[in-house]
Amino acid sequence: MLAAKYWHLFGRKEENSLSRIGNMPITVPAGVTVTIGANNEVTVKGPKGELKQSLPEDIILEQNGDTINVKRPSEIKKHKSLHGLTRTLLNNMIVGTNEGFKKELQINGVGYRAAKQGNKLVMNLGYSHQVEMEEKDGISIDVPQPNQIIISGADKQKVGQFAAEVREKRPPEPYKGKGIKYVDEYIIRKEGKTGSKTVSYTHLRAHETELH
């Protein structure tokens, strides 16, 4: 009974939200080409690169000029969920190849800093050694300032994953805030240790902005 009530209150709202997203047509901007192949194999080419992805075969992709409509074959729960997901994935491919995505990180701490050396990100993070990370295929690293790192690329998922890997090299601690954090990440500060046990934690907020 409780599960049914929960679904009635929240599950249906989420499902309707996904359906609304799926019903929104996608406009393909000038300079971007979208090719929809067999079994929904989609290729998108634009100023920022080329992306290929296999989208759910159950969902219908209708391309008419510079507009793409995403449709579902039925009203069953699975198709409603895939409807919104497919539309989001396809739109991300188009936005990524046209404008790109980025994640910006900030380094805090005395002596903590970053630099770009060739295709490597070199960081001093309070360890006895430097931390190095190489650019991956489809990922660009920019260090405009010693305490600022910008990860950018056409693939939203890859950008987010690489930024998370950079952050993991020195996650922010909750006492003085030292470490690497997303530029809009809010760190819940803890008071200094007083002998009692404390739990360290941070509050993460997603940071995705389109690179113009």
Side-chain angles (χ1 to χ4, degrees), residues 34-186:
V34 179
T35 303
I36 303 172
N39 302 318
N40 279 352
E41 293 284 341
V42 178
T43 301
V44 182
K45 296 180 182 179
K48 296 295 183 179
E50 178 180 335
L51 294 176
K52 295 182 179 181
Q53 189 166 354
S54 298
L55 298 179
E57 295 182 28
D58 288 357
I59 301 303
I60 303 163
L61 303 178
E62 292 184 350
Q63 188 170 10
N64 184 14
D66 62 354
T67 301
I68 298 176
N69 291 297
V70 182
K71 299 181 178 180
R72 59 179 181 264
S74 77
E75 296 301 309
I76 64 174
K77 181 181 176 182
K78 173 187 175 182
H79 288 155
K80 284 187 175 182
S81 297
L82 288 177
H83 188 198
L85 173 64
T86 302
R87 197 268 180 195
T88 297
L89 292 174
L90 179 54
N91 188 65
N92 285 344
M93 293 174 72
I94 293 171
V95 172
T97 55
N98 185 48
E99 301 176 9
F101 289 99
K102 72 175 182 180
K103 274 186 172 289
E104 188 173 339
L105 301 118
Q106 185 180 67
I107 300 177
N108 296 304
V110 177
Y112 289 19
R113 61 185 183 276
K116 182 78 177 295
Q117 296 180 5
N119 67 338
K120 288 184 178 181
L121 172 65
V122 181
M123 298 176 285
N124 292 300
L125 301 173
Y127 301 122
S128 60
H129 60 280
Q130 291 182 323
V131 177
E132 297 183 358
M133 297 181 70
E134 290 190 6
E135 286 180 333
K136 295 182 178 179
D137 183 39
I139 294 293
S140 295
I141 302 172
D142 187 26
V143 185
Q145 300 181 61
N147 68 336
Q148 183 184 19
I149 302 170
I150 299 176
I151 309 300
S152 59
D155 190 315
K156 185 177 182 180
Q157 184 176 351
K158 285 185 177 180
V159 169
Q161 178 61 37
F162 191 81
E165 291 173 6
V166 173
R167 182 186 179 279
E168 189 61 26
K169 297 301 180 182
R170 189 62 139 177
E173 53 86 22
Y175 295 100
K176 295 183 179 180
K178 294 192 302 183
I180 305 173
K181 73 180 189 71
Y182 299 115
V183 72
D184 68 342
E185 179 181 351
Y186 178 68

Side-chain angles (χ1 to χ4, degrees), residues 191-209:
E191 293 184 3
K193 297 179 180 178
T194 58
S196 60
K197 293 183 178 180
T198 58
V199 178
S200 299
Y201 63 99
T202 59
H203 176 70
L204 299 179
R205 183 174 61 206
H207 173 53
E208 288 133 356
T209 57

